Amino acid sequence: MSTILSEFSGIPLSEESGIGAITLGGFAREVSQRFSQHEAICWRDLSGSMQRYSYENFYSQCSKVARALLAVGITKGTRVGILASNRPEWLFCVFGASMAGATVVALNTFSPQRELKLQLEIGDVALLLMEAGVGPRRFVDELAGICPALAEAEPGGLLSPELPFLRRVVCMDEDFHGAGIQSWADFLSEGEAVPNDLVEASAASISPADDALIFFSSGSTALPKAIRQTQRAASLQCWRCGKLFDLDTESRVWAANGFFFSGNFAMAFGTLSRGGCMALLRYFDPDEALELIEQERVTCVLAWPHQEARLKECPGWAGGDFSSVKRMVADSAFHDHPTVSTRWKGMNGYGSTETFTFVAAVSGEDYNETTQGTVWPGNTIRIVDPDSGKTVPIGETGEIIVKGPTLMTGYLKTMPEDCFDAEGFFHTADAGYFSEDGYLYWQGRLSDIIKTGGANVSPAEINEILNQHPSVQFCHTVGVADDTFGELVVACVLLREGAQADAQELQAFAKASLASYKVPRKVLFFEESELPLTGSNKVKLADLRELATARLNAGK
């Protein structure tokens, strides 16, 4: 009897239903024509007024951005950075840039100044579309520190010798005026002389194989990886996520996370594929979120467990009316709210930024909390022995490797052979297995990457920062399983002889250089004799993780 090996493929792309245009510009045009007068976006602007955009108006705003980009010299393949929270301009800019032929570099608003500079540099951003700031952070001030010549540079001149391609910065806040930064109104006015025919011709010339987006994701090194995604990948996932959540023209969707995360991009923008309305909140504020969900009669909530835990702590949770909510992710707190009544069980899936989120998923009546679902059309998933590379039998755990239509074209500034194997598969460093009926079961990561609150965190990046503290001899960061966050970021620290530091001091030190979700939630101090070492004096990370877990459990 022959052994059945762990490899499954989805149906051919040609047999997939419900897919329309597969460029972002084509997607925007198609949905705007199909759902013209339906409400596409609602949000409370910076003055507190509720703004609403129909699909027709949404497309008109995208076209204005496209015309302005063409007017200032943006050509096919030019890198346009977006640094903004979840506001309508994010959508206008990403679809408008696609219509003009540009590639969008999605900058992470959680990134500290040093990381933003690195993203601008790796992404070769030529034009930056940004908001002035979020909360206490002032992006415009941080940019001035990155580009000292910003205020004095001639239009189109060099802003920083380290960022030779960056020649123009635009602020999307209506009332902002600052030296060296063009106002939103002035930027859009530059496109008034550009004929609409040119925009339509530009959009029509874009190929599904062209680059659409660059996302950043932490890898196994301290440097962020810049992930190139095509027009086809971005558009396919928007069409698919609308189907995954069974959305329609009555759907009203709120997403808690930034659009610079590929998963939120696909799941949130999937709303547009079905003619629903996106209820926008610039950033996650639990009290404002509950108010928005209740007042706008949100039907679909996209939030991670740690965010929903904060929603439940709000005064408005217990007495709120959330009877409109019908769709949510697996294990959502809304399933248990007394006002919520839905037969929709939830959804689960498997994917990464490199695959533009899901390559396998399950939802609705087929939902099962133990599995990540079946393989999506056009994709192939194989389970291999991580040492030999050979495909393992059905039911046996190994490394998940994937290829398909939404797989990245590669990392920027990285050779293809360093991204894919000889057959074109991407090795995920995740562990999993297949059942005989083709359902994928994810079992954790083979790598040391920590997944906390839905974000990937590189231990090497945290170690690099904390090792710079004068009291730290060395730091090793591990992920410890947690019911709310998935994993807690835990720094295991050995102090220098005679030196002193407490957890709060090291957390504050890390916070100055790291995004908030990368700052260790726990700091544990070890003596050198307590550290599990190999014969060559290297720390055994698996054993250290067990020690950290035991110590945290003992402290509960």
Side-chain angles (χ1 to χ4, degrees), residues 413-539:
K413 306 182 190 301
T414 304
M415 292 297 182
E417 59 267 26
D418 295 324
C419 302
F420 313 107
D421 67 18
E423 294 183 72
F425 279 93
F426 171 66
H427 289 241
T428 67
D430 283 341
Y433 68 92
F434 271 116
S435 60
E436 291 185 1
D437 53 358
Y439 279 81
L440 178 68
Y441 292 79
W442 176 75
Q443 293 193 301
R445 284 161 301 288
L446 298 175
S447 67
D448 295 324
I449 295 300
I450 301 166
K451 189 154 190 168
T452 181
N456 292 327
V457 174
S458 166
E461 182 180 11
I462 300 169
N463 297 341
E464 180 186 15
I465 296 300
L466 285 180
N467 283 334
Q468 296 174 26
H469 191 282
S471 295
V472 174
Q473 182 169 326
F474 66 76
C475 169
H476 287 284
T477 304
V478 296
V480 173
D482 181 77
D483 291 339
T484 300
F485 289 89
E487 285 186 314
L488 287 181
V489 178
V490 180
C492 300
V493 173
L494 175 67
L495 295 177
R496 296 185 184 278
E497 186 174 354
Q500 292 184 341
D502 59 22
Q504 291 75 21
E505 179 182 346
L506 295 185
Q507 287 168 326
F509 184 82
K511 189 175 182 179
S513 299
L514 296 170
S516 58
Y517 61 85
K518 298 178 183 178
V519 175
R521 290 188 172 270
K522 300 288 183 180
V523 178
L524 302 178
F525 295 93
F526 290 81
E527 298 293 333
E528 191 164 7
S529 60
E530 297 177 292
L531 295 172
L533 303 175
T534 66
S536 57
N537 281 330
K538 293 182 179 179
V539 173

Side-chain angles (χ1 to χ4, degrees), residues 206-273:
I206 306 305
S207 163
D210 289 337
D211 282 347
L213 289 144
I214 293 167
F215 292 107
F216 289 91
S217 176
S218 294
S220 57
T221 69
L223 296 177
K225 293 180 178 179
I227 298 165
R228 296 171 56 198
Q229 290 287 5
T230 65
Q231 295 280 342
R232 179 177 72 170
S235 305
L236 269 179
Q237 298 298 62
C238 289
W239 292 114
R240 288 170 168 177
C241 284
K243 292 192 293 181
L244 180 68
F245 285 93
D246 192 26
L247 304 178
D248 57 28
T249 56
E250 301 302 314
S251 298
R252 302 180 70 80
V253 178
W254 170 69
N257 297 290
F259 297 146
F260 45 80
F261 289 129
S262 66
N264 206 47
F265 182 107
M267 290 191 289
F269 291 2
T271 309
L272 303 177
S273 72

Side-chain angles (χ1 to χ4, degrees), residues 323-405:
S323 56
S324 60
V325 177
K326 304 297 181 186
R327 302 287 185 269
M328 65 283 283
V329 296
D331 300 323
S332 171
F334 283 91
H335 279 294
D336 300 322
H337 195 277
T339 65
V340 174
S341 175
T342 176
R343 297 182 62 186
W344 204 74
K345 296 180 180 179
M347 63 76 54
N348 207 352
Y350 174 79
S352 65
T353 307
E354 285 84 354
T355 61
F356 213 121
T357 195
F358 304 118
V359 288
V362 61
S363 67
E365 290 302 312
D366 297 326
Y367 169 71
N368 182 322
E369 64 181 10
T370 65
T371 178
Q372 277 61 51
T374 55
V375 183
W376 275 10
N379 290 287
T380 297
I381 300 180
R382 183 185 293 174
I383 311 296
V384 301
D385 182 286
D387 295 320
S388 69
K390 293 182 179 179
T391 308
V392 302
I394 289 286
E396 186 174 318
T397 297
E399 181 181 15
I400 301 171
I401 66 174
V402 303
K403 65 179 179 180

